[in-house]
Structure formats: C-alpha cells, structure tokens
Amino acid sequence: MSAVVLYCRAGFEGECAAEIQERAAELGIHGYCKAPGNSGLVSFHCKHEEADHIARKTPVYKLIFARQLFVRVAECNELPIQDRVGAMLEALAELDTDVLPKCGDIWVETADTNEGRALSALCRSITATLRKSMREHEHLTEKDTDRRPVMHVMFRSTHSAMLGYSYTYNHSPYPMGIARVRSPKNAPSRSAAKLAEAFKVMIPAADFDKRVSSGMNAVDLGACPGGWTAVLVQHGMMVQAVDNGAMDESLMQTGQVKHFREDGFAFRPKKRNIEWLVCDMVDKPVKVSHLMADWFVEEYCQQAIFNLKLPMKKRYPAVQQYLQAIHDRLAEAEMRHYELHAKHLYHDREEITLYLRRT
Ligand SMILES: C[S@@+](CC[C@H](N)C(=O)[O-])C[C@H]1O[C@@H](n2cnc3c(N)ncnc32)[C@H](O)[C@@H]1O
C-alpha cells in the first residue's frame, strides 16, 4: 500500500490528519491515517494511483496544517549503516516501473522534531552520494530541473527512511516545507519573522511585487513593540501602528511610522487608502475574524494578514469555525470577490495565520 506523507508541526498531527482525510474524501478517496503523536508526520494510506491523484489535485498551498506533501513509494526500515544508499536503490529496483517518476532534484529531509534535527548531519553528508547514485540509476535527471518531480528521502532514524516524490507545480518549494526567512535588522521583536514568513509563503512569488511594494499604506493593529511594523517598513510602506504600548524608537525615527495609542477594535484610518491591514492582537479569534471582515466590507483595505489564536482542544473544527465566521460576514455584505487562506506557519505555535485579499 502506498501513502501520502505530510509534514506538520509536532503536536498537530491530529489536525493534519483530519484535514488530509477531508481533502481526500472530496476527491472520492477514502484511506486511513497514521499520525503518531509529536512525530511531525502524518501518512495517509491508500492505493498508489490514489496517492498520486492527491499529490496532483490537492493544492498544497491551501492545506492549513501540512507544510509539505509527497507520495511515498518505498519505506526502508533496516538500512545498513555501511551502505544505506545501496539498500535504498534495491528497494526502488523492486518497484513497478511507473511508480516512481524520473525526478529533477532530490531533497534529503527529516521531520521537524528534536529526533529529526539530530539526523541533519547525516542528511547533509549523504546527499551528494545519494544524488550521484540516483542519477546513475536514472531515477534523477542528469541536471537539476524543476520540470520534473522532486524526490524526497525522509530519514526517520539512522537506519530508516521513506522515499517518494512531489510535483513541483503542487508542493512547498522549500525542503521540509519550511521557508527560511530573515527578519529585518534590529527588528524589535521576534514576531517579525512571522510576518516575513507569511509574506513569503502566502503570497505567490510571481505576484509578490504587485502585492507588496514600496509606497503602499499599511495599518498594524496590536503593533507594539514593532516587529511586524519593521517588516512593513522594510518593504517601504507607510505604517499606522495602533497599540497602547510603546513602539520601538528607531522604527519611529524612520519617518515611515505613525503611532496611534488607540483601541485596535475601534480604530479606523482617516482615509480609505490602505493597501495592507495586519493584525497581531491576541483576542478572541471570532472577534478578530469579524473585525478583519468588517475592514473589507467597509472598504478600508485590500489585503490583510492576521493571526488567530487556536484553542487547546478541537483545533481543526475551531479553524473551520473561524473561516466560516469570515465567509459569513463577507457573504452577508454580498462581498464575493476575495480569497482567503489559512496556514499554520513554521513560526506559528498555538495560532494560525490568515491571508484575506480582495480580488
Ligand atoms: C503579540 S503582541 C504584538 C507583537 C507585534 N506584532 C510585534 O511584532 O512586535 C500583541 C499586541 O497587541 C496589543 N493589543 C492587544 N489588544 C489590543 C487592542 N484592543 N488594541 C490595540 N492593541 C492591542 C498589545 O498591547 C500587544 O502589544
């Protein structure tokens, strides 16, 4: 039996499993999940053709809790330490010919867990040999190309690995599904990395310069001390930062920031010239969802990125409820032209990040 393998944050395997089961069912595929607690991994078991269909048809960028998705074609559980690569090649040689497409690149990965991180030196040291051997056995093209699928080799321990592939037109373009981002220099809080990641992961690269550009006006609700504002400033935006707290002095000196000591739920800008609304206020998720929708209904902004806190339990249904609250509010106002995505980003812990955009 084949499987679709998904990476997620450790501790969120239940949510990731619920989501892939729902998406697969929409395609008429009914498999079962293995989602060991705190493994950062979920596998959805089904026939190979079905796993391949999911990998083509379930948009990975729309999955909330999964960072990456690939079709597993082989699992090697007794890799000999002296010749792991040879054992993997043997496992691939036993497959039917059409099960593993010829790939254009190879990513050697682990789960995002402490155990996984302990394997990163092994991943680095084996990559060149794996690449060379996979080329010699024609599992990989002579030169790297993104026109062919990516081969995933996912080490679970020093002696076990899963092998599979993902389609480059429908996967996270980042190994392990984790986009590496740099916060602006001197950003006053670590939260800056979260908005930087949201920009990188949630906005298609081809449209980035259109959607995020210098000279745009932005509002940051719950801005202090200014990590998110620093990201907006770095992109050349003029920012209205709303928070009763203290803003970082060096940010204020850029001349791009105006600080409003006001309640973020009551604040509205004087002019309707705001492109970006960002909001990191920690409050009831449905309340924040309604606030975000209201800004769109009242035509105050074009795009928004915001965080919603997750409950301790029943997180997947809670997320559905938050999304529905936004859809309902927009539907009531007969606003039909928008896109809404949610993602549990690498920098998110007990929260998710949403991107709402007028289309
Ligand atoms: C998680 S912090 C924001 C961190 C910020 N995004 C950064 O990158 O530095 C949440 C902030 O929301 C502010 N906040 C909470 N409720 C608020 C409200 N009703 N109006 C304005 N600010 C609020 C808090 O004062 C706090 O500074």
Side-chain angles (χ1 to χ4, degrees):
M1 189 152 249
S2 199
V4 171
V5 175
L6 304 108
Y7 299 156
C8 64
R9 174 180 274 280
F12 288 81
E13 298 80 12
E15 288 72 20
C16 187
E19 189 174 23
I20 192 62
Q21 260 168 328
E22 214 171 272
R23 297 289 85 78
E26 285 166 6
L27 296 172
I29 299 171
H30 302 279
Y32 65 94
C33 276
K34 283 190 190 166
N38 290 314
S39 64
L41 273 186
V42 169
S43 44
F44 176 81
H45 297 255
C46 53
K47 290 186 204 142
H48 175 72
E49 304 72 47
E50 293 173 328
D52 185 81
H53 192 61
I54 291 171
R56 290 173 190 272
K57 297 288 177 197
T58 297
V60 173
Y61 77 98
K62 283 193 184 171
L63 291 174
I64 301 168
F65 289 97
R67 295 173 178 170
Q68 185 60 289
L69 176 159
F70 71 85
V71 179
R72 191 200 70 191
V73 297
E75 184 155 19
C76 308
N77 287 321
E78 288 173 20
L79 293 171
I81 287 174
Q82 57 289 5
D83 188 16
R84 294 183 178 94
V85 175
M88 288 186 211
L89 287 167
E90 269 174 39
L92 294 184
E94 284 170 18
L95 298 176
D96 291 342
T97 43
D98 56 349
V99 167
L100 177 66
K102 191 166 190 169
C103 293
D105 198 356
I106 182 167
W107 291 351
V108 185
E109 304 174 307
T110 69
D112 179 27
T113 58
N114 289 339
E115 296 74 29
R117 278 184 281 281
L119 297 166
S120 51
L122 166 63
C123 292
R124 278 195 301 276
S125 65
I126 206 170
T127 298
T129 318
L130 257 173
R131 189 183 295 276
K132 185 166 174 280
S133 304
M134 291 295 171
R135 281 201 174 126
E136 281 166 7
H137 287 77
E138 302 201 349
H139 295 304
L140 273 185
T141 50
E142 266 313 298
K143 286 191 179 152
D144 287 354
T145 171
D146 59 9
R147 289 166 180 240
R148 305 286 315 164
V150 166
M151 180 185 288
H152 295 257
V153 175
M154 211 286 290
F155 275 96
R156 305 192 70 179
S157 70
T158 51
H159 57 272
S160 67
M162 295 182 192
L163 281 79
Y165 64 89
S166 63
Y167 290 103
T168 50
Y169 60 81
N170 186 33
H171 74 173
S172 160
Y174 311 107
M176 290 170 65
I178 300 173
R180 307 282 161 186
V181 291
R182 271 207 210 127
S183 301
K185 254 194 205 162
N186 307 326
S189 76
R190 283 194 298 169
S191 305
K194 204 186 293 190
L195 185 61
E197 184 188 356
F199 274 166
K200 188 162 180 177
V201 171
M202 303 184 88
I203 300 178
D207 271 6
F208 192 85
D209 293 345
K210 246 188 279 163
R211 298 196 198 175
V212 177
S213 76
S214 182
M216 286 176 167
N217 294 309
V219 170
D220 183 355
L221 301 178
C224 292
W228 285 29
T229 294
V231 175
L232 300 167
V233 164
Q234 186 191 35
H235 285 289
M237 297 192 202
M238 303 300 292
V239 187
Q240 299 178 35
V242 184
D243 199 310
N244 269 317
M247 282 299 279
D248 177 76
E249 200 38 50
S250 62
L251 260 182
M252 297 308 299
Q253 282 171 7
T254 60
Q256 286 171 250
V257 185
K258 202 164 174 199
H259 185 187
F260 295 81
R261 290 182 190 275
E262 293 180 30
D263 176 10
F265 286 93
F267 178 86
R268 293 292 187 276
K270 296 234 161 17
K271 290 189 191 162
R272 282 181 163 77
N273 64 352
I274 304 299
E275 176 70 29
W276 272 101
L277 168 66
V278 299
C279 173
D280 194 18
M281 293 190 290
V282 183
D283 209 307
K284 290 195 182 73
V286 172
K287 188 177 168 192
V288 175
S289 298
H290 283 159
L291 176 70
M292 297 296 107
D294 289 347
W295 271 65
F296 280 81
V297 170
E298 295 162 20
E299 300 190 350
Y300 276 111
C301 66
Q302 304 299 321
Q303 309 184 67
I305 283 180
F306 52 102
N307 267 176
L308 297 179
K309 192 109 194 78
L310 290 169
M312 300 289 277
K313 287 185 190 160
K314 298 197 175 159
R315 295 180 290 206
Y316 187 65
V319 168
Q320 303 308 310
Q321 189 201 340
Y322 305 160
L323 292 171
Q324 200 54 51
I326 299 171
H327 288 305
D328 289 349
R329 197 75 156 205
L330 297 178
E332 272 167 32
E334 297 186 7
M335 181 175 153
R336 288 186 199 90
H337 303 293
Y338 66 91
E339 58 171 325
L340 174 64
H341 301 298
K343 201 85 195 162
H344 192 219
L345 296 172
Y346 176 70
H347 287 95
D348 283 333
R349 290 175 187 272
E350 298 298 327
E351 68 259 342
I352 51 165
T353 301
L354 289 88
Y355 176 36
L356 178 57
R357 183 175 86 97
R358 199 183 295 280
T359 54

